[in-house]
Amino acid sequence: MSLLDAATTAQLKAYLGNLRRPIELVASLGDDSKSADTRALLTEIVAASDKVTARFDGSDARRPSFTIGATGETARVTFAGLPLGHEFTSLILALLHVGGHPPKEEADLLDQARGLDGPLQFETFFSLTCQNCPDVVQALNMIAALNPNASHVAIDGALFQGEVDTRKIMAVPTIFLNGEPFGQGRMDLAQIVAKLDTGSTARAAEKIAAMAPFDVLVVGGGPAGAAAAIYAARKGIRTGVVAERFGGQVLDTMGIENFISVSKTEGPKLVSHLEQHVKDYDVDVINLQKAIKLSPANGDGLATIELEGGASLRAKTVILSTGARWRQMGVPGEDEYRNRGVAYCPHCDGPLYKGKRVAVIGGGNSGVEAAIDLAGIVAHVTLIEFDSQLRADAVLQSKLRSLPNVTIEVSAMSTEVVGNGDKVTGLVYRHRETGEDHTLDLDGIFVQIGLVPNTEWLKGSVALSNRGEIEIDARGETNIHGVFAAGDVTTVPYKQIVIAMGEGSKAALSAFDYLIRH
């Protein structure tokens, strides 16, 4: 039985040609079908390279699982489950990095990872449908491959449901370090190393403080920010990008089918291309830095962006492109049970609710699409919509109504998330026409009610709409001369990736025009 098609097998052989030292795979298998598939996959990997061998006599209690180790050394990378889907790339990279092929990361960052003190025993719970999980799995595998004080086990939560329940895993990716909770959600190598290396914040602040003023400083690294940086850099002016995480909200987007000229892609893949395109130019990318204050230009003609880490950046012009984040319900219990039954990414966390009862909040396209996806996994979905009718496209509504395990409640206002102290047990909603309160017994609640602009830090500095969006003119300029804005954070309607890119490009051209005129 072959799990890989001919094209994938050919690619695998080509990748494994980069191995610099022999590696050994040791599998712990049971009698189930996933174990049989794991054996087949490892056999195909062995056939693709004479530097890879495999044994099937492992003693790990998690079955199926397998370790990846340099021959003659203790293995420090383990997959518990079958790493296909989004995690197949994680498997290939783990093979390469354990086999001595250098990771494609900055040399300073790799040195930081090698120098981390141990012991560092990581465990990550992931799902194969999670687009946020590969970054975490790949980063921790990289640390384990580089640092003899570190190890990492990547665990498919859908295959080890008993352990998920026992350890109260309600969202992926969830990371444990030495048996204790370490983090949840997307984290890349730089973020993880920064969290482990306590001196990194001070070093970063010192490095930032030494930077010369920019001609254009872009705040935010999503599609608008990336486009702005590229257009500014192409003018030959000194350009910088400061971002809390490069890619922004697009990193959490599963399928993208309306990006013109690309029939279909995924958020993380698009962000990777954006980041590489920015790096093609002379742009200073300052990542993992959160802006907390904007001060307009004073007598020296330089605006100031203050950062959470204590450093500041100065620039002749600023482009604000801080994007938006998921809107919350704002009801009692939501904060308390976030990532313990309250979730915002059905693609990521849906498999953890297999056979359980969930609700989706929101009757727009995102909410209805989430309900359709979840209906194929969970026992039952209740869709809750505040309005008197669903707002999703007709074709989506038709598909939703055809599903036997979906209930739709309209004119329903969510009023409370109910839990037992550990996890969600229900949702209370009020029927807006009758005034009656209803309680649903649930295991999970997926919130899909739109976006909120990331502008809290800008209140009092630039003009904002009553929705908190930055007000801009036709050229993308704010009420402050030399300060521009672009993307989902602004009053421009229709929050779309292609629109954000166009707005970012326009803001950069406007900033350049401002520079040459002033």
Side-chain angles (χ1 to χ4, degrees):
M1 177 181 64
S2 177
L3 294 181
L4 307 178
D5 58 30
T8 305
T9 300
Q11 289 180 327
L12 177 64
K13 288 182 178 179
Y15 284 130
L16 296 185
N18 294 306
L19 293 176
R20 298 185 178 184
R21 60 181 180 179
I23 58 176
E24 182 180 52
L25 313 177
V26 179
S28 302
L29 305 177
D31 298 326
D32 56 289
S33 61
K34 290 295 183 183
S35 290
D37 288 344
T38 301
R39 179 185 289 272
L41 176 62
L42 300 190
T43 300
E44 290 182 70
I45 292 172
V46 170
S49 172
D50 59 5
K51 283 189 169 66
V52 184
T53 57
R55 295 183 3 233
F56 299 94
D57 57 355
S59 57
D60 196 320
R62 294 190 186 101
R63 296 170 183 259
S65 66
F66 62 94
T67 62
I68 304 173
T71 302
E73 297 182 6
T74 300
R76 303 191 297 270
V77 174
T78 302
F79 283 96
L82 186 60
L84 297 176
H86 285 294
E87 295 300 342
F88 186 66
T89 299
S90 301
L91 169 61
I92 299 302
L93 290 174
L95 293 167
L96 290 175
H97 296 155
V98 172
H101 186 68
K104 292 182 179 180
E105 295 283 354
E106 298 291 338
D108 289 349
L109 181 57
L110 295 178
D111 286 341
Q112 268 187 281
R114 291 187 186 95
L116 294 171
D117 293 330
L120 300 171
Q121 297 176 340
F122 289 102
E123 297 168 291
T124 302
F125 285 83
F126 69 89
S127 74
L128 293 178
T129 56
C130 168
Q131 71 269 30
N132 292 324
C133 295
D135 276 6
V136 173
V137 171
Q138 291 165 23
L140 292 174
N141 282 346
M142 203 180 302
I143 292 173
L146 293 170
N147 190 325
N149 299 314
S151 64
H152 179 226
V153 184
I155 306 162
D156 184 351
L159 287 187
F160 298 94
Q161 193 68 49
E163 189 170 357
V164 165
D165 293 340
T166 300
R167 300 178 75 169
K168 300 175 182 176
I169 310 297
M170 303 295 292
V172 290
T174 291
I175 311 166
F176 290 86
L177 173 58
N178 298 333
E180 298 295 326
F182 176 78
Q184 283 186 323
R186 177 186 292 274
M187 297 176 74
D188 60 20
L189 181 64
Q191 290 170 300
I192 293 170
V193 169
K195 190 170 182 177
L196 293 167
D197 184 354
T198 55
S200 62
T201 300
R203 291 195 302 273
E206 184 178 348
K207 183 177 180 181
I208 291 169
M211 289 184 169
F214 292 96
D215 291 317
V216 175
L217 177 62
V218 181
V219 185
I230 290 167
Y231 264 71
R234 285 174 61 86
K235 293 296 185 181
I237 56 180
R238 178 165 162 72
T239 304
V241 177
V242 59
E244 194 170 354
R245 64 167 186 167
F246 197 94
Q249 188 76 13
V250 178
L251 284 167
D252 302 324
T253 304
M254 183 65 172
I256 299 171
E257 299 180 358
N258 58 357
F259 186 65
I260 311 306
S261 85
V262 179
S263 298
K264 185 171 183 178
T265 187
E266 296 176 351
K269 183 182 293 185
L270 177 59
V271 168
S272 176
H273 292 160
L274 286 175
E275 190 168 17
Q276 184 55 56
H277 198 174
V278 170
K279 288 180 178 179
D280 288 344
Y281 294 93
D282 187 15
V283 176
D284 282 317
V285 178
I286 307 148
N287 213 355
L288 308 183
Q289 296 293 332
K290 183 178 181 179
I292 59 171
K293 185 179 179 180
L294 164 66
S295 298
N298 50 30
D300 61 4
L302 297 173
T304 302
I305 297 291
E306 296 180 26
L307 306 176
E308 192 173 58
S312 295
L313 293 164
R314 310 199 73 197
K316 297 175 183 177
T317 61
V318 173
I319 298 174
L320 304 170
S321 58
T322 46
R325 63 187 183 277
W326 292 116
R327 184 182 299 276
Q328 299 178 17
M329 293 184 290
V331 302
E334 181 178 17
D335 286 340
E336 181 182 356
Y337 291 103
R338 182 176 291 110
N339 295 324
R340 293 193 294 161
V342 176
Y344 300 86
C345 180
H347 299 294
C348 303
D349 301 332
L352 299 177
Y353 295 86
K354 183 178 180 180
K356 298 181 179 181
R357 301 178 67 86
V358 304
V360 172
I361 312 299
N365 282 350
S366 295
V368 171
E369 287 173 351
I372 292 170
D373 287 344
L374 289 166
I377 302 170
V378 304
H380 188 270
V381 180
T382 302
L383 187 140
I384 305 292
E385 166 56 33
F386 182 86
D387 202 351
S388 59
Q389 59 186 0
L390 301 185
R391 293 166 287 108
D393 294 343
V395 65
L396 294 175
Q397 291 191 42
S398 177
K399 174 63 176 177
L400 182 70
R401 296 181 193 281
S402 73
L403 302 174
N405 61 335
V406 173
T407 300
I408 300 170
E409 298 289 349
V410 295
S411 297
M413 180 175 68
S414 303
T415 59
E416 183 182 1
V417 173
V418 181
N420 61 9
D422 289 327
K423 61 182 181 179
V424 165
T425 58
L427 173 74
V428 180
Y429 72 90
R430 178 170 299 157
H431 195 282
R432 295 172 53 237
E433 295 178 0
T434 67
E436 295 180 3
D437 287 338
H438 302 267
T439 300
L440 294 172
D441 293 329
L442 299 168
D443 298 288
I445 300 168
F446 290 84
V447 183
Q448 301 282 288
I449 53 175
L451 301 171
V452 177
N454 294 316
T455 55
E456 289 83 0
W457 66 288
L458 291 168
K459 289 179 179 178
S461 59
V462 297
L464 304 177
S465 71
N466 58 5
R467 294 187 177 184
E469 298 168 329
I470 301 172
E471 294 182 346
I472 57 173
D473 63 16
R475 299 173 62 256
E477 190 167 18
T478 70
N479 64 310
I480 300 175
H481 290 305
V483 177
F484 302 83
D488 288 1
V489 75
T490 73
T491 49
V492 169
Y494 312 120
K495 312 306 186 186
Q496 299 290 312
I497 293 170
V498 69
I499 292 174
M501 287 182 174
E503 290 293 311
S505 305
K506 181 171 69 177
L509 294 173
S510 297
F512 178 71
D513 183 66
Y514 178 90
L515 288 170
I516 62 177
R517 293 176 184 274
H518 294 80

